[in-house]
Amino acid sequence: MATKKLPKTAPHGPREEAEGYPWHVKVVGALAAAFVVGLPLYVFWPRDTWEQDNRGRILGLCSQADSLASQGNAAAAQQKYEEVVATIGDRQLADEQLRKTVAKTALVQGQAKAAACLRSGDWAGAECEYKRLLDFLKASPTDDSDTNAARHRATRGAREARIRILEAEAAQAAQGLDEQKPSSGRSLLQTVLDEAAREQGLPKAIAQYDQLLDYLHKQPPDDPVVVQSLSKASATKQNLEASMARVRAEQERRRQAEEQRRVAEQRRREEEAQRALAEARKRAVREQFFRSPAYAQMKLQADSLVQSLELDLVAEDSAWRAISKSSDAGAGLLAILIQMEAAMTGQDVSADVARVQTELDTDMIGETSALRAVFKKDRAFLGLLGIWCKVLEKDHPGLCASFGKAQQDLLLAMITEDSAYRAQSAHLRACMIVLQDILAAQGFKSQADKIVSEARLANIAETSAIRSAMNNAEACMNLVLLLVEQRDKTRAAGLHRDVALNTVGDDSAVRAHYAYKKTLARGLHILIASPGSS
């Protein structure tokens, strides 16, 4: 196979020379051409010269703003800084030194504005300004000593502002919760409303101080503001907690008092219901008793005693014998009344009544003196009153003891007594005292006390035993008529009128004594004939 031969080439040197300039010449030429063309373009091409033109104005405004801020004129300094911001607008400064100067002015103005808010008490505004400062410093790339010091001051200022805000909120929550002393100018309603407001406000105020203390405990313990606020807040919280403890104690006391009142009211209602039920049962028993043959027989006996008394007194010309007969009828009628009361309460005192009657009959054997007969019958009347106390003792405890004391006092007074007149007065005085206790137990204490007081007052300077006995007899009559008034006011008023007509203008104590004893017997007869409780 035949091979194709390539043509021989010429050497490089002669060829480059043949094609033009050497390569390094070409490079130099290109650079020269670029310089010639670019220089006019650089010189005459339009450029943005705003930053260079306004540099002096911006630096001057910043200097003025810093000077005004250092003098404490925050408002004017802020106005100058706003001129700086308005001058720059939304432009981005290329000069690093100019950028730092503007940033420093912004920092100074923020510090001055925040400090002004602190001085004026605008804690929320101060906190807002310090937070802006911190955000500004956080975005700052510099980390020199001035920036770190500014960051520390802003942090401390923000902390103080937050503490003051929490203090103000806590103080507002605690406002008006102090314990006010009673004042005559404050109405009961206003006092109750104030106490209710304290009861509701104290927990909220304590919660606010808890929030403040929780924040303070998280702050540096060496900060003077933190130390001062912590001490004040702790003391205030302790006072509020003490007030809250007193309020809760008062609430508990009121709750217990209310519970006691509720229990007492419930007990009272139950007792009233029990009394009403017992009274209803008593009324039913009484109504049944008053329809019974036993009551008819007792009423017949009482009517017979009164009729006999009226007949015996028709031809009686002795006042003492009239008193004796009236006393005898009064004792007999009281015996019937007591047996009625006993029967209506399910008791039987017939044996006791018979014993007293037997003792009286024994004392009267061979007795020819009407004077002595009177006090002996008064003694029987007193014994019957003792039986009446026994009948009433279940519903009115203490009556038997009162009777025992009155009887003991009478026995002591009669040990050496030899006067029938004084014996009459002493026995009637004992009867008066026991009747007073019986009526007081049944709800007529004031009226009974008044009757007895009048008799005792009349006897203070009385030297006559006969008149003293008369006064005591009148008191016994009035006490019995007091019971009659509860049954039949009209008949009671009639008895008072009759006795007044019989005694008016009569200066005889004996005849007055007789009138009182007779009226007492008539009063007992009405009590027997009228259904009800004596």
Side-chain angles (χ1 to χ4, degrees), residues 61-98:
L61 290 173
C62 289
S63 176
Q64 294 175 25
D66 293 344
S67 176
L68 290 170
S70 64
Q71 296 172 10
N73 194 346
Q78 180 65 24
Q79 185 177 2
K80 289 297 181 182
Y81 176 68
E82 289 175 356
E83 290 185 28
V84 173
V85 174
T87 301
I88 296 174
D90 57 353
R91 293 181 178 85
Q92 297 293 329
L93 297 178
D95 189 338
E96 181 178 359
Q97 185 62 35
L98 184 61

Side-chain angles (χ1 to χ4, degrees), residues 383-495:
L384 291 171
L385 290 177
I387 299 173
W388 198 3
C389 289
K390 179 181 177 182
V391 172
L392 299 175
E393 179 72 18
K394 181 178 179 181
D395 293 333
H396 307 287
L399 282 177
C400 288
S402 298
F403 168 75
K405 184 178 184 304
Q407 189 178 47
Q408 184 66 27
D409 292 343
L410 174 63
L411 292 175
L412 291 174
M414 294 300 296
I415 290 177
T416 59
E417 186 57 69
D418 59 354
S419 169
Y421 298 116
R422 288 193 291 269
Q424 289 178 16
S425 178
H427 281 82
L428 286 172
R429 182 172 61 250
C431 292
M432 176 184 69
I433 293 172
V434 176
L435 277 171
Q436 178 189 15
D437 292 337
I438 290 174
L439 269 75
Q442 294 185 345
F444 310 111
K445 185 178 187 308
S446 61
Q447 301 96 313
D449 290 348
K450 181 180 178 182
I451 292 171
V452 173
S453 296
E454 290 175 353
R456 287 178 171 171
L457 183 62
N459 287 330
I460 289 178
E462 186 57 69
T463 58
S464 169
I466 296 176
R467 290 192 176 278
S468 177
M470 176 200 69
N471 291 331
N472 293 336
E474 183 183 13
C476 289
M477 176 200 71
N478 286 329
L479 291 168
V480 171
L481 293 185
L482 180 59
L483 287 175
V484 176
E485 288 178 5
Q486 313 310 313
R487 308 284 186 86
D488 193 332
K489 291 184 179 295
T490 302
R491 297 181 70 180
L495 292 178

